[in-house]
Amino acid sequence: MTPITPAPSWNRSTRSRAHEKSEGALLKAEERLQAALVPRYHDLFVQIGRLEGGVKHLVDMRADTLDLLSSVKDSAELRSFSSCLREMLSHWFSAGLLHLQRITWESSCDILQKISEYEAVHPMRNWSDLKRRVGPYRRCFIFTHSTMPREPMVVLHTALTNQISDNIQTIVSTPILDEEDVDNINTAIFYSITSTQKGLQGVELGNYLIKRVVRELQAEFPKMTQFSSLSPIPGFRDWLVGEINKVLGSTESSSSEDSGVDGPSSTAPTLLTSAELQKVAEIAGKEDVSPLVTLKKLLQTNQWMGAESMVEVLKDPLMRLCARYLYLEKRRGYAVNPVANFHLRNGAVLWRLNWQADTGPRGISQSCGVMVNYRYFLGDTMRNSQRYMEEQHIEASQQVIDLAQAAGGADSPAGKSNL
């Protein structure tokens, strides 16, 4: 019998070299494929970005592209163009390349003017409003970039208080004070954050700004322990009117007057109880009209604010429905309200709803005067953010959970707050 001899070492070495060669060829092919997938205008953007004013030009170009996308349907080329710009701008405007700057009354006039013009949450009427928002017990911070040094990227307005505020008028309409009592400041209220460049939509800036400002305030005020927003709820009234329309449409199709109102025949979450709707009709003096139709008109015209009795009747249902809107209504698993989605992504807690917190025309038209506190518990923000992003879990207080369950009917998940 002929003995079996082991393969020569040169044979194994040859196979190893062949394997390495095939891996190298695969990597080169991958590189060529990646290069082929990069659109030709990418290099053009790089060259434009190196010119003076070039980055600002690209930011404005993306803003124009987003405007086009809102009016053009199914444009894969435009979406690809916009995505390429967004990816490049995300690199150029990363957190490490942004400059934090505090704005005071002594800041340059052009920056102050832009701060006033860009304010979108609580518009300023005059220079006195602006002076109040950059004066004592207030902090205004902006992010700038080396390529656009005179242009605020994002603006954050903060009030310094000794408690978590529940009314915006106490912040934007208080008299201008001369000095701060440092010993009486332990809370920071983020009451307005505005992204000034539409072309940077989708580029994370606001969350970085809040985190940087928290560190700045902690260094300035060692006793500061509470951080919270006082946020508007844009879209709540429109959503509620849409829900009323759904119920009215269902009522017409089923010819049932009880659809959408509490009762055993209703399968949808309750909007208002029968007793609440009856009181609305009585106060409005239109008992011969469908109470939901009356309610819809009152909400759309803001007429309900003119009668104290109507305000009292609508308090409980509007608070319940607002909690449902913020806590239960989702889009792709995340909060449907954009402001809620922003703060929850940052790791904040949906902490408290505030009745009649903004009774100005904008506040009534957007959210029936309701505002919300998103509270930042610094030790929990990373965990809360991760759970929201990965599990779509919203950390909320017991007040919000109870209100949402009362409004959500059978679809409302049971839950207890961890706070």
Side-chain angles (χ1 to χ4, degrees):
M1 180 183 293
T2 304
I4 299 175
T5 57
S9 59
W10 63 266
N11 216 1
R12 289 194 295 272
S13 178
T14 301
R15 286 200 299 271
S16 176
R17 287 196 299 270
H19 181 69
E20 291 176 358
K21 185 176 181 180
S22 63
E23 280 191 342
L26 184 62
L27 290 173
K28 288 182 179 179
E30 183 181 353
E31 291 175 1
R32 289 195 297 270
L33 178 60
Q34 288 178 339
L37 291 174
V38 175
R40 293 186 177 182
Y41 47 71
H42 178 276
D43 292 335
L44 175 62
F45 293 160
V46 172
Q47 296 299 323
I48 293 175
R50 292 172 179 170
L51 301 174
E52 183 176 355
V55 173
K56 172 62 174 171
H57 178 77
L58 293 175
V59 170
D60 293 340
M61 183 187 296
R62 182 159 187 263
D64 293 339
T65 305
L66 292 173
D67 288 337
L68 282 173
L69 280 170
S70 65
S71 59
V72 177
K73 295 183 179 179
D74 301 326
S75 177
E77 294 83 1
L78 271 179
R79 286 198 300 272
S80 177
F81 188 85
S82 177
S83 296
C84 181
L85 271 173
R86 180 181 59 81
E87 185 176 349
M88 296 187 69
L89 293 172
S90 295
H91 290 302
W92 289 341
F93 288 88
S94 61
L97 300 177
L98 296 170
H99 173 63
L100 180 68
Q101 182 179 346
R102 179 186 168 189
I103 303 302
T104 69
W105 191 241
E106 286 71 38
S107 298
S108 62
C109 289
D110 64 320
I111 294 293
L112 285 170
Q113 180 70 26
K114 288 176 180 177
I115 295 297
S116 176
E117 292 174 351
Y118 284 140
E119 175 57 24
V121 184
H122 304 292
M124 302 181 201
R125 298 165 298 177
N126 47 47
W127 283 94
S128 294
D129 277 357
L130 176 59
K131 187 175 183 180
R132 181 182 297 110
R133 299 191 197 186
V134 298
Y137 290 100
R138 302 292 181 266
R139 293 294 184 271
C140 177
F141 291 94
I142 66 172
F143 264 153
T144 59
H145 192 269
S146 59
T147 60
M148 301 164 61
R150 311 298 300 176
E151 192 70 35
M153 302 290 100
V154 58
V155 184
L156 176 65
H157 288 280
T158 306
L160 308 178
T161 69
N162 59 5
Q163 60 183 347
I164 297 179
S165 304
D166 61 1
N167 187 286
I168 192 61
Q169 272 72 39
T170 62
I171 292 178
V172 299
S173 302
T174 53
I176 301 174
L177 302 176
D178 295 329
E179 295 183 2
E180 294 175 350
D181 181 2
V182 177
D183 294 331
N184 198 37
I185 295 174
N186 60 20
T187 304
I189 304 296
F190 309 123
Y191 66 92
S192 173
I193 184 165
T194 302
S195 179
T196 67
Q197 308 294 316
K198 184 176 181 179
L200 294 178
Q201 180 179 312
V203 179
E204 296 286 356
L205 294 178
N207 58 342
Y208 295 134
L209 180 55
I210 288 179
K211 292 173 183 176
R212 287 285 301 277
V213 167
V214 166
R215 292 200 296 268
E216 290 288 320
L217 294 176
Q218 284 182 313
E220 185 178 1
F221 301 99
K223 294 182 180 180
M224 185 168 286
T225 57
Q226 297 187 122
F227 299 90
S228 173
S229 79
L230 180 60
S231 300
I233 313 172
F236 168 56
R237 191 189 71 170
D238 290 344
W239 169 83
L240 180 53
V241 170
E243 292 300 301
I244 292 175
N245 286 334
K246 290 179 185 178
V247 174
L248 291 174
S250 174
T251 302
E252 291 176 0
S253 62
S254 63
S255 300
S256 172
E257 295 182 357
D258 293 329
S259 180
V261 183
D262 64 330
S265 64
S266 176
T267 58
T270 299
L271 295 180
L272 272 71
T273 66
S274 297
E276 290 167 343
L277 284 173
Q278 183 177 352
K279 288 182 180 179
V280 168
E282 290 174 355
I283 296 172
K286 296 183 179 180
E287 297 184 57
D288 57 333
V289 181
S290 167
L292 275 179
V293 172
T294 300
L295 176 62
K296 175 183 171 182
K297 182 177 180 180
L298 290 172
L299 292 173
Q300 289 179 318
T301 60
N302 297 338
Q303 291 179 354
W304 65 279
M305 284 293 295
E308 185 176 343
S309 55
M310 185 70 77
V311 172
E312 186 63 28
V313 167
L314 290 180
K315 176 181 178 180
D316 288 345
L318 289 181
M319 289 284 279
R320 291 196 312 263
L321 292 164
C322 190
R324 171 186 157 190
Y325 172 65
L326 293 175
Y327 186 64
L328 297 178
E329 295 297 318
K330 306 290 181 67
R331 178 185 292 118
R332 298 176 182 174
Y334 300 103
V336 69
N337 181 265
V339 178
N341 191 51
F342 169 79
H343 286 288
L344 294 170
R345 283 169 60 94
N346 290 348
V349 173
L350 181 53
W351 190 66
R352 185 177 69 190
L353 294 181
N354 304 293
W355 178 245
Q356 296 288 278
D358 184 0
T359 54
R362 180 187 292 252
I364 297 299
S365 297
Q366 286 188 339
S367 59
C368 303
V370 184
M371 298 188 77
V372 57
N373 297 116
Y374 297 100
R375 188 166 176 183
Y376 286 81
F377 295 94
L378 301 184
D380 299 330
T381 53
M382 185 175 295
R383 177 181 63 86
N384 292 343
S385 176
Q386 184 175 5
R387 291 194 67 189
Y388 180 69
M389 295 303 296
E390 296 179 359
E391 306 170 22
Q392 292 81 52
H393 170 79
I394 296 177
E395 193 67 40
S397 69
Q398 198 61 49
Q399 181 226 26
V400 174
I401 292 175
D402 290 344
L403 286 170
Q405 288 180 338
D411 295 331
S412 176
K416 289 291 183 181
S417 172
N418 293 321
L419 304 179

